């Protein structure tokens, strides 16, 4: 198998929390392995606090991994030394942020971020070409007429338009992989779909890969090829998106799916309301982290941390109970 | 995170940007303090630049009579040395202004450098820089300057500028540091770093431009301080006594006992000049604050807006129906804005039966939150919306006409409100119990023990362990905070609970569990509920009826099930097609292209026409609400089906 675009190996990030004498370690991301192929959209789903945004920031080099390595096109990211190499990586892997109201500098015109990106990463472009290019990326994300939009200030745009500016900035890098950290979760439902469509179009037209981070499984199904499910810093399930949604193996994935509001489906009011919360993983002990909320937990779950194991074609799950061929465990 | 409410969307904070000078110009011209400050400063600038042309005589020439009284030749008389007072005043302006600008510039530069780098780099850098700032802040500056100036006697303006500048930056540095700290978690800074920008670039090109207003304020403050201090020092004789300055004039006037000797203007006018120049800087500072701070700007608008709002229509008398706990008729709410009134809720009618669950759905800015606040009578400063017409009958009483005092008796006891963001609605420094006690004390005469019991009871209702009575809001998770908010709303078992997107800050699992909880409580306790959300799918299984709002108006109103199964309005149809499903065939969705209209200038015809796939020429006239199979819909597609219910 050829080298994927991006691959992580044992990616781990811990944060020190607490006071000087009661120092504790928060395990935001623990031993995570995954791959993203060329032109692939991979969704990373999980609740808030599950570590998905930490993964985004590890990939964007905002944080350094505590352990483990990220390989981009086969090259370990920690081996980037010179500013030129680091800039080249920035340019390959830009990020789109969650909050359209705080991710654009209010003091500048919309074109500012795009022009800076072009200057930093594509300095070879002549002045005139740069202008053309910035109008091209704005047009590409549907902000037309590009000339007028570029001259606007962020407060003159709606939330959806601002988020499009975020994607235009990312495109200006001529990227290979865009990390989109909950890009639609703060937008109105009515305009979310437009941005999701935009992401699939960009993949088609520009051949960009996406890591789409979300807590909305339905939107992950809509655009992604593969899905990674995270819980409390661990990757708990992985597989082709349709397959995972039709036949979820991990009890947590099942919980996530049952929580998606769907007016087309009848409501099972008998569903016991799950009032559990994803734990803050501070100084964790061995064992499955989902165990306290899991209806199928067995003794082994308290003793051994389940590892991701193969349970079918391209399907991985980290659960002692999940079966390969039987549908849902005891459901 | 929260979506901006209608009100916020209407009153955009005017961020002082490098944008359009014309905007800044308009803001300045519209502000009386700014105009006065600019005129005063211009006046002094003219004097400072062209003293030779303006002053009638040389300031030093001792060629007139000594101590002459004011006359047409010498407006302010002459000094004890036979110099013209007016000419001296004019020639002295230059030094005061130079000191003001030089000290302002120097102090601002230092405070920017220290304040911003302390906050940006953090850690030890911050520790050391903050320590220095604080030390300078507590040094009694005037005595220190007297000591320094006495040592450096007659050394002139340059020393004065350095000393005043070096001691006057600490206040500005503190403000800039805290402002930078608050920016540190804004995503645009993270975006700049992810883009690969260097730290220096981020400070100078990303952080500083967003703080223009604070930097200008700090400059004006330092300039004001410099004018006053310099005059004070020169007055007590610590400047160069041969220089031309207002302080030096005062010094000589004092030495010659000018007041006693009848040379009143010699003694008074330099002081007046100092005061006027100081006032110019102070006025500009106030004005700048008003221009850049939307809350202050609004106070002005509120006043102005009230006169411009459409006058209320004659109230429609509604017969109170005992079946309905709430009847809203012709409710219209307007906000004042720079460009005129914005009608955020336009002639809305709705009924709510006892124990009914009503969902209100719409995009941000459609007026759904405003409608809610109007019903709860919570409109007011700083986002000053005003009910301009209509009635809100709650249990037969017209809420619109109730006074604040009358409202206190029914708020919380008979109806309560759950806000969008619990983190903002709960007081961060009080425990859950203390906040519940506050509410209970304000609205009942329970004993301490009863209050405690009641608080425990309501927490159990929302499945929170009563041990959390002693927790502070930040110790609870997002889901628990929202449930605590609902528990507080239940303290008096009200008949109506009004909820403004209580789940929008939560993710799916917590959201689902909260919705289940609300539904269960509602069935058990029998309260009626109004639930506002932008996510239609969320309320599909929970609400009895649904009201779809678009651009301040009711677009569709009917039974939830019917509305989901047979949506009538093209907007509702669009909303239903806007979110992907986890079941069934994977289909490409289009959502609703385009954007809602600007409520400042809404289209005269159908407000949805510009985004509507069925729009045709009939849509240029504003459609009324039509009744179709018991549902109300505002769309001409249904004009043949039924008669219009009411012309709007």
């Amino acid at each position: 198998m050829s080298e994927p675009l991006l691959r992580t190996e044992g990616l781990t990030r811990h944060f020190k929390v607490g006071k000087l004498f009661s120092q504790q370690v928060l395990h935001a991301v623990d031993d995570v392995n995954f791959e993203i192929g060329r032109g692939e959209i991979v969704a990373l789903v999980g609740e808030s606090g599950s570590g998905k945004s930490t993964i985004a920031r590890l990939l964007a080099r905002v944080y350094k991994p505590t352990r483990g390595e990220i390989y981009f096109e086969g090259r370990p990211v920690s081996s980037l030394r010179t500013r030129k190499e680091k800039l080249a990586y920035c340019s390959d892997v830009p990020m789109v942020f969650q909050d359209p109201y705080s991710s654009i500098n209010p003091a500048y015109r919309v074109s500012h971020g795009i022009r800076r990106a072009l200057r930093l990463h594509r300095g070879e472009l002549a002045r005139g070409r740069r202008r053309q290019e910035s109008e091209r990326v704005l047009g590409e994300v549907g902000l037309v007429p590009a000339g007028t939009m570029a001259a606007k200030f962020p407060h003159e745009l709606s939330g959806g338009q601002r988020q499009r500016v975020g994607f235009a900035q990312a495109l200006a890098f001529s990227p290979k992989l865009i990390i989109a950290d909950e890009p639609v979760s703060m937008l109105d439902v009515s305009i979310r779909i437009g941005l999701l469509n935009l992401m699939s179009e960009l993949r088609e037209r520009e051949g960009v890969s996406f890591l789409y981070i979300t807590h909305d499984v339905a939107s992950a199904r809509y655009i992604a090829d593969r899905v990674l499910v995270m819980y409390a810093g661990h990757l708990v399930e992985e597989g082709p998106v349709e397959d995972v949604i039709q036949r979820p193996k991990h009890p947590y994935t099942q919980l996530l799916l049952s929580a998606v509001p769907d007016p087309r489906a009848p409501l099972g009011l008998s569903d016991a309301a799950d009032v559990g919360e994803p734990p803050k993983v501070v100084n964790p002990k061995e064992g499955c982290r989902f165990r306290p909320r899991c209806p199928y937990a067995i003794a082994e779950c308290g003793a051994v941390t389940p590892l991701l194991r193969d349970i079918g074609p391209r399907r991985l799950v980290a659960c002692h109970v999940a079966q390969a061929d039987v549908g849902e465990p005891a459901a | 995170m929260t979506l901006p409410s209608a009100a916020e969307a209407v009153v955009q904070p005017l961020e002082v940007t490098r944008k359009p000078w014309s905007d800044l110009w308009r803001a300045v011209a519209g502000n009386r303090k700014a105009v006065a400050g600019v005129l005063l400063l211009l006046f002094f600038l003219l004097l400072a630049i062209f003293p030779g042309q303006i002053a009638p005589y040389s300031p030093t020439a001792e060629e007139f009579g000594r101590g002459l009284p004011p006359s047409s030749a010498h407006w302010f008389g002459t000094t004890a040395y036979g110099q013209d007072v007016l000419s001296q005043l004019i020639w002295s302006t230059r030094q005061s202004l130079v000191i003001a600008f030089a000290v302002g510039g120097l102090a601002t530069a230092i405070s920017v450098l220290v304040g911003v780098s302390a906050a940006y780099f953090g850690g030890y850098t911050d520790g050391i820089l903050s320590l220095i700032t604080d030390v300078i802040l507590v040094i009694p500056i005037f005595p220190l300057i007297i000591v320094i100036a006495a040592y450096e006697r007659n050394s002139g303006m340059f020393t004065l500028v350095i000393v005043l500048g070096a001691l006057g930056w600490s206040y500005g540095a503190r403000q800039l540091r805290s402002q930078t700290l608050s920016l540190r978690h804004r995503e645009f800074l993270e975006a700049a770093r992810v883009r690969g920008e260097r730290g220096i670039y981020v400070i100078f090109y990303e952080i500083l431009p967003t703080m223009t207003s604070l930097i200008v304020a700090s400059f004006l403050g330092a300039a004001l301080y410099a004018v006053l201090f310099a005059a004070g020092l020169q007055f007590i004789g610590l400047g160069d006594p041969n220089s031309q300055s207002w302080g030096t004039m005062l010094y000589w006037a004092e030495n010659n006992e000018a007041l006693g000797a009848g040379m009143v203007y010699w003694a008074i006018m330099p002081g007046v000049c100092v005061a006027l120049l100081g006032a110019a800087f102070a006025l500009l500072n106030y004005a700048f604050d008003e221009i850049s701070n939307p809350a202050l700007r609004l106070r002005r608008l509120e006043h102005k807006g009230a006169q411009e709002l459409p006058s209320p229509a004659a109230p429609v008398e509604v017969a109170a129906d005992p079946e309905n706990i709430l009847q809203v008729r012709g409710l219209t709410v307007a906000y004042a804005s720079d460009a005129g009134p914005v009608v955020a809720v336009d002639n809305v009618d709705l009924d709510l039966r006892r124990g009914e669950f009503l969902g209100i759905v719409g995009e941000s800015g459609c007026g759904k939150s405003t409608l809610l606040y109007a019903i709860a009578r919570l409109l007011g400063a700083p986002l000053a919306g005003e009910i301009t017409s209509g009635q809100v009958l709650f249990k037969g009483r017209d809420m619109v006409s109730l006074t604040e005092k009358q409202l206190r008796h029914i708020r919380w006891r008979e109806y309560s409100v759950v806000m969008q963001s619990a983190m903002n609605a709960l007081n961060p420094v009080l425990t859950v119990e203390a906040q519940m006690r506050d509410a209970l004390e304000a609205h009942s005469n329970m004993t301490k023990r009863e209050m405690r019991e009641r608080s425990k009871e309501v927490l159990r209702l929302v499945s929170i362990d009563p041990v959390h009575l002693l927790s502070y809001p930040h110790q609870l998770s997002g889901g628990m905070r929202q449930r605590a908010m609902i528990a507080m709303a239940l303290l008096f078992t009200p008949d109506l609970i009004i909820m403004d997107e209580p789940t929008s800050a939560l993710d799916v699992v917590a959201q689902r569990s909260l919705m289940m909880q609300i539904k269960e409580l509602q069935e058990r306790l029998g309260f009626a509920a109004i639930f506002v959300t932008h996510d239609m799918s969320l309320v599909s299984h929970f609400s009895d009826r649904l009201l779809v709002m678009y651009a301040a108006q009711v677009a569709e109103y009917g039974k939830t099930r019917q509305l989901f199964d047979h949506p009538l309005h093209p907007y509702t149809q669009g909303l239903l097609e806007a979110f992907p499903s986890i079941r069934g065939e994977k289909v490409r969705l289009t959502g609703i292209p385009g954007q809602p209209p600007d409520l400042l200038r809404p289209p005269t015809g159908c407000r949805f026409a510009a985004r509507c796939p069925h729009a045709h020429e009939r849509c240029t006239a504003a459609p009324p609400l039509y009744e179709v199979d018991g549902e109300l819909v505002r769309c001409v597609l249904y004009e043949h089906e039924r008669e219009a219910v009411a012309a709007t």
Side-chain angles (χ1 to χ4, degrees):
Chain A
M1 202 174 123
S2 67
E3 182 70 27
L5 182 65
L6 181 138
R7 175 167 65 88
T8 72
E9 234 178 59
L11 192 61
T12 301
R13 172 71 202 197
H14 296 167
F15 293 96
K16 292 201 177 93
V17 290
K19 305 265 157 46
L20 193 59
F21 294 107
S22 61
Q23 204 156 72
Q24 296 181 311
V25 180
L26 173 73
H27 291 228
V29 172
D30 257 342
D31 198 19
V32 165
N33 301 301
F34 64 88
E35 292 177 358
I36 299 172
R38 281 168 211 279
E40 190 181 31
I41 300 183
V42 177
L44 179 60
V45 299
E47 281 167 276
S48 31
S50 61
K52 41 191 208 312
S53 288
T54 308
I55 288 199
R57 280 160 180 76
L58 284 166
L59 297 190
R61 288 186 60 253
V62 176
Y63 301 147
K64 280 203 170 65
T66 307
R67 271 196 307 278
E69 184 59 88
I70 301 163
Y71 296 89
F72 187 74
E73 298 186 311
R75 178 167 184 194
V77 168
S78 66
S79 74
L80 304 176
R81 285 283 172 263
T82 63
R83 175 157 166 87
K84 204 172 158 197
E85 286 173 337
K86 287 177 186 166
L87 271 182
Y89 179 78
C90 286
S91 147
D92 286 337
V93 188
M95 180 161 163
V96 176
F97 291 84
Q98 176 179 17
D99 181 357
Y101 294 90
S102 93
S103 57
I104 311 178
N105 194 329
Y108 289 101
R109 288 174 202 282
V110 161
S111 55
H112 168 74
I114 299 168
R115 288 218 318 274
R116 283 301 301 175
L118 290 174
R119 166 164 297 181
L120 276 173
H121 301 298
R122 295 162 75 187
E124 74 281 0
L125 292 182
R127 244 189 132 72
R129 282 282 293 130
R130 248 184 242 165
R131 185 188 198 85
Q132 267 177 25
E133 180 66 9
S134 86
E135 292 192 356
R136 184 189 74 87
V137 293
L138 282 169
E140 199 80 342
V141 298
L143 289 174
V144 281
T148 329
M149 296 308 279
K152 290 200 182 227
F153 277 86
H155 72 257
E156 298 174 273
L157 302 183
S158 68
Q161 289 177 322
R162 290 178 189 217
Q163 210 54 319
R164 283 172 192 265
V165 172
F167 279 102
Q169 287 179 6
L171 276 189
F173 291 62
S174 64
K176 293 175 179 155
L177 166 67
I178 295 179
I179 302 165
D181 185 10
E182 305 217 28
V184 299
S185 71
M186 290 190 63
L187 302 178
D188 266 352
V189 170
S190 53
I191 46 175
R192 283 182 187 171
I193 203 77
L195 275 146
L196 295 179
N197 286 337
L198 173 68
M199 283 162 69
S200 353
E201 285 159 22
L202 290 181
R203 185 252 298 262
E204 298 302 322
R205 288 202 301 260
E206 312 250 332
V208 193
S209 305
F210 280 91
L211 178 66
Y212 171 57
I213 296 175
T214 182
H215 63 250
D216 177 10
V217 192
S219 69
R221 178 197 183 207
Y222 185 70
I223 58 163
D225 307 309
R226 251 176 343 115
V227 62
L228 314 169
V229 183
M230 261 195 108
Y231 186 77
H234 278 155
L235 218 52
V236 295
E237 182 155 8
E238 181 186 333
V241 72
E242 206 54 45
D243 202 21
V244 171
I245 279 169
Q246 300 309 330
R247 286 172 293 279
K249 299 292 183 188
H250 197 284
Y252 176 63
T253 316
Q254 294 168 7
L255 172 66
L256 261 186
L257 283 166
S258 74
V260 177
D262 194 342
R264 297 169 187 101
L267 178 73
L269 257 178
S270 57
D271 296 1
D274 171 280
V275 290
E277 308 263 348
K280 283 239 176 309
V281 192
V282 175
N283 299 341
K285 295 196 183 67
E286 187 72 5
C288 172
R289 292 176 184 172
F290 186 61
R291 176 176 34 100
R293 290 170 84 181
C294 182
Y296 314 113
I298 53 172
E300 198 188 355
C301 304
V304 185
T305 308
L307 298 175
L308 274 179
R309 58 192 170 86
D310 262 306
I311 52 154
R314 302 178 68 207
R315 286 293 299 274
L316 296 168
V317 65
C319 176
H320 295 305
V321 183
Q323 301 288 310
D325 299 310
V326 189
E328 293 134 44
Chain B
M1 302 304 298
T2 54
L3 293 157
S5 71
E8 282 161 323
V10 173
V11 191
Q12 290 266 5
L14 191 143
E15 309 215 29
V16 176
T17 55
R18 302 204 306 188
K19 176 188 167 163
W21 287 103
S22 64
D23 263 23
L24 186 64
W25 172 243
R26 222 177 313 137
V28 168
N31 186 308
R32 266 180 251 160
K33 290 184 187 118
V35 173
V38 167
L39 287 180
L40 261 177
L41 196 59
L42 274 180
F43 170 70
F44 282 115
L45 272 174
L46 272 180
L47 296 189
I49 298 171
F50 306 109
Q53 283 75 10
I54 297 170
Y57 312 105
S58 150
T60 45
E62 300 177 3
E63 56 203 21
F64 311 108
R66 302 187 170 204
L68 292 179
S71 64
S72 56
H74 306 284
W75 289 6
F76 297 137
T78 58
T79 69
Y81 307 97
Q83 303 144 323
D84 181 51
V85 171
L86 178 64
S87 303
Q88 276 205 340
L89 281 175
I90 292 172
W91 278 96
S92 300
T93 312
R94 182 176 284 176
Q95 200 186 71
S96 287
L97 274 180
V98 168
I99 290 181
F101 283 105
V103 172
L106 183 63
T108 307
I110 301 178
S111 57
V112 165
L113 210 67
V114 172
V116 175
S117 29
Y120 183 76
F121 293 110
Y124 286 116
T125 320
D126 187 21
I128 293 167
L129 290 176
S130 294
L131 185 71
I132 297 174
T133 312
D134 291 346
V135 165
I136 295 206
L137 204 59
V138 296
I139 287 180
I141 293 185
F142 206 70
L144 179 71
I145 292 183
I146 290 177
V147 171
I148 295 176
Y151 188 72
E152 288 277 318
R153 216 180 159 113
N154 299 347
S155 53
M157 208 162 70
F158 185 69
T159 321
L160 206 58
V161 167
I162 297 290
V163 171
L164 286 176
L167 292 173
W169 53 267
S170 50
Y171 188 67
R174 285 271 292 244
Q175 286 188 316
L176 286 163
R177 173 175 171 270
S178 57
Q179 180 69 19
T180 312
L181 277 179
S182 75
L183 283 175
R184 229 163 67 153
H185 299 286
R186 293 286 288 268
E187 284 179 345
F188 66 82
L189 294 185
E190 207 171 357
R193 282 191 291 266
V194 169
R195 195 160 69 211
E197 304 283 10
R198 296 169 194 273
I200 288 291
Y201 176 89
V202 174
I203 290 182
F204 280 97
Y205 291 91
E206 298 284 339
I207 296 181
L208 284 191
T210 62
M211 299 199 297
T212 332
S213 63
L214 205 56
I215 293 171
V216 172
S218 136
F219 173 81
L220 291 171
L224 170 61
Y225 137 96
V227 170
L228 298 180
F229 266 60
L233 288 173
Q234 287 157 339
F235 170 63
I236 56 174
L238 292 172
D240 174 2
N242 298 317
S243 69
Q244 288 296 332
S245 75
W246 294 328
T248 322
M249 281 180 73
L250 280 174
Y251 170 72
W252 288 118
E254 169 71 14
N255 277 357
N256 290 284
E257 288 171 21
L259 268 182
M263 294 168 281
V264 181
Y265 288 101
W266 189 22
I268 291 179
M269 284 321 285
V272 171
C273 286
V274 170
L276 282 178
L277 182 57
F281 285 121
L283 280 170
L284 283 174
N285 210 345
Y286 279 128
F288 210 77
D289 204 24
E290 268 176 27
I291 291 169
S292 56
N293 186 340
L296 291 175
R297 209 156 47 101
L298 262 176
R299 211 175 295 154
R300 228 160 20 86
L301 281 176
E302 221 171 295
H303 184 69
K304 200 173 97 189
Q307 301 149 6
E308 288 175 6
L309 294 178
S311 57
V316 204
E317 282 307 317
V318 213
D321 178 352
E323 278 294 292
N324 288 330
I325 189 166
L326 186 75
Q327 290 172 283
V328 176
R329 290 290 174 276
L331 187 63
T332 303
V333 183
Y335 287 98
S337 85
D338 279 328
V342 174
V343 177
V345 173
D346 187 4
N347 211 350
V348 169
D349 293 351
L350 65 88
D351 288 322
L352 188 68
R353 296 182 175 281
R354 287 184 183 275
E356 191 182 27
F357 192 119
L358 171 71
I360 300 182
V361 190
E363 285 168 278
S364 40
C366 75
K368 55 190 193 305
S369 297
T370 307
L371 171 62
L372 211 66
Y373 285 111
I375 291 174
R377 284 289 313 274
L378 286 172
L379 292 171
L383 298 170
E386 200 178 327
I387 297 176
T388 55
S389 67
Q391 276 185 310
V392 178
L393 286 183
F394 175 62
K395 292 175 153 184
R397 273 165 301 194
D398 186 6
M399 298 273 286
V400 178
S401 60
L402 291 187
T403 62
E404 208 38 50
K405 204 173 157 198
Q406 291 168 316
L407 279 169
R408 269 183 56 134
H409 291 295
I410 54 172
R411 247 183 217 154
W412 223 313
R413 295 192 67 95
E414 299 186 29
Y415 75 90
S416 54
V417 183
V418 179
M419 302 281 184
Q420 190 171 67
S421 157
M423 203 55 207
N424 296 337
L426 292 173
N427 187 333
V429 299
L430 293 181
T431 60
V432 173
E433 183 177 18
Q435 304 193 38
M436 290 196 169
R437 200 171 49 224
D438 278 354
L440 287 166
E441 265 171 4
H443 302 274
S444 77
N445 341 314
M446 288 189 195
T447 63
K448 279 228 161 87
R449 171 191 280 274
E450 284 169 339
M451 287 198 267
R452 177 143 239 216
E453 281 313 305
R454 183 60 193 157
S455 305
K456 281 188 182 165
E457 227 170 284
V458 290
L459 275 192
R460 278 194 212 103
L461 275 178
V462 297
S463 357
I464 295 181
D465 190 322
V467 299
H468 286 300
L469 274 182
L470 298 177
S471 300
Y472 289 90
H474 71 265
Q475 295 170 315
L476 306 177
S477 70
M480 274 163 87
R481 276 198 294 264
Q482 287 298 357
R483 275 186 277 140
M485 288 287 294
I486 290 171
M488 288 184 70
L490 290 171
L491 278 172
F492 295 99
T493 334
D495 300 314
L496 169 64
I497 299 187
I498 293 173
M499 290 176 269
D500 185 13
E501 309 215 26
T503 64
S504 67
L506 307 176
D507 50 40
V508 269
V509 179
Q511 174 177 291
R512 168 70 156 206
S513 106
L514 189 67
M515 289 307 291
M516 292 292 212
Q517 188 115 50
I518 292 172
K519 188 69 188 169
E520 201 245 332
L521 284 171
Q522 199 216 354
E523 279 170 2
R524 184 133 57 104
L525 304 174
F527 54 84
I530 302 182
F531 189 102
V532 162
T533 177
H534 67 102
D535 185 353
M536 195 163 171
S537 63
L538 187 64
V539 287
S540 58
H541 295 300
F542 300 97
S543 67
D544 303 308
R545 275 196 289 175
L546 211 55
L547 187 150
V548 181
M549 269 186 93
Y550 186 76
Q553 296 176 327
V554 175
E556 187 165 356
Y557 181 34
K559 293 208 174 63
T560 304
R561 211 54 255 174
Q562 195 179 344
L563 214 134
F564 269 96
D565 293 339
H566 308 286
L568 297 174
H569 199 286
Y571 177 61
T572 318
Q573 292 165 0
L575 279 183
L576 276 173
E577 288 305 314
F579 47 87
S581 170
I582 53 166
R583 291 179 186 83
E585 196 77 354
K586 201 154 139 181
V587 283
R588 192 187 147 82
L589 305 172
T590 45
I592 306 171
Q595 291 178 62
D598 181 3
L599 288 181
L600 195 57
R601 281 170 286 276
T604 50
C606 171
R607 297 188 172 183
F608 186 62
R611 300 168 78 183
C612 182
H614 308 293
H616 55 105
E617 67 276 15
R618 287 277 290 112
C619 302
T620 48
L625 278 171
Y626 296 97
E627 189 177 336
V628 184
D629 300 331
E631 280 189 44
L632 296 179
V633 59
R634 190 185 296 279
C635 178
V636 287
L637 287 176
Y638 303 95
E639 81 183 311
H640 303 303
E641 306 223 1
R642 294 288 187 279
E643 280 304 293
V645 179
T648 24

